[in-house]
Amino acid sequence: MEHSAVVEKAIAQCSGAFSTLTLYETYLSIDRSQFICDVHELVFRSHPIRKSRIELAEITELGLSASMLLPPLFVVRFAGCAQLTGSILHDAILGNVHMLSFIDNRPFYALYHQLETMILARRPPAESADVLDDRRPFRSFP
């Protein structure tokens, strides 16, 4: 018996300080650096989530959490997701968080634009009619 798995093609991808964010047609994937996870586990005696898969249909909010010294954190909120603790080093490895790059974040903003468009396309037309015309950097979704 042959078993064939459906493999989705990545739509957009960007690398950050600790992880890689990949957008697919139905979900968002966050893959954390093996090295960073190992160091965090050793230093803080915690077990970070190394790979996350967030279904686009479940996303309720997208946002940035800024830091003075480190790059901002891109936070994806959905029912039951982890909440930020206020400690940037702990928050950076949460399952629903991606730390942006230290250098160039243009690929992230392109991915964000595509992600926002895809989420709004899944909403009923009455809920998302004028939202795309009035783009804000980050938003909550109805």
Side-chain angles (χ1 to χ4, degrees):
M1 182 172 141
E2 237 177 85
H3 182 275
S4 63
V6 177
V7 178
E8 289 188 50
K9 183 180 175 190
I11 295 171
Q13 187 175 52
C14 68
S15 294
F18 297 158
S19 59
T20 300
L21 189 64
T22 308
L23 176 62
Y24 295 91
E25 188 174 324
T26 59
Y27 67 96
L28 187 65
S29 173
I30 304 174
D31 296 318
R32 276 152 209 83
S33 161
Q34 183 72 31
F35 174 74
I36 293 299
C37 285
D38 289 344
V39 168
H40 196 277
E41 192 170 339
L42 181 67
V43 172
F44 296 106
R45 293 189 177 118
S46 68
H47 300 286
I49 298 170
R50 296 179 188 267
K51 185 170 184 164
S52 302
R53 177 183 168 135
I54 303 167
E55 298 295 326
L56 297 186
E58 296 176 1
I59 295 175
T60 58
E61 185 178 7
L62 303 174
L64 278 180
S65 176
S67 166
M68 290 182 69
L69 301 174
L70 295 172
L73 300 177
F74 172 58
V75 183
V76 179
R77 296 194 195 280
F78 53 91
C81 70
Q83 299 299 314
L84 298 181
T85 64
S87 168
I88 192 93
L89 294 176
H90 288 284
D91 292 346
I93 57 140
L94 291 176
N96 59 321
V97 175
H98 167 74
M99 182 180 276
L100 276 61
S101 173
F102 282 95
I103 301 169
D104 183 16
N105 287 309
R106 286 178 291 179
F108 166 76
Y109 289 108
L111 183 145
Y112 174 80
H113 179 75
Q114 182 68 31
L115 173 61
E116 180 185 51
T117 303
M118 291 171 69
I119 290 172
L120 289 172
R122 294 174 171 273
R123 303 290 193 250
E127 291 180 5
S128 60
D130 296 323
V131 177
L132 289 175
D133 295 332
D134 179 34
R135 288 198 183 268
R136 297 186 314 245
F138 296 93
R139 69 174 74 249
S140 294
F141 297 96

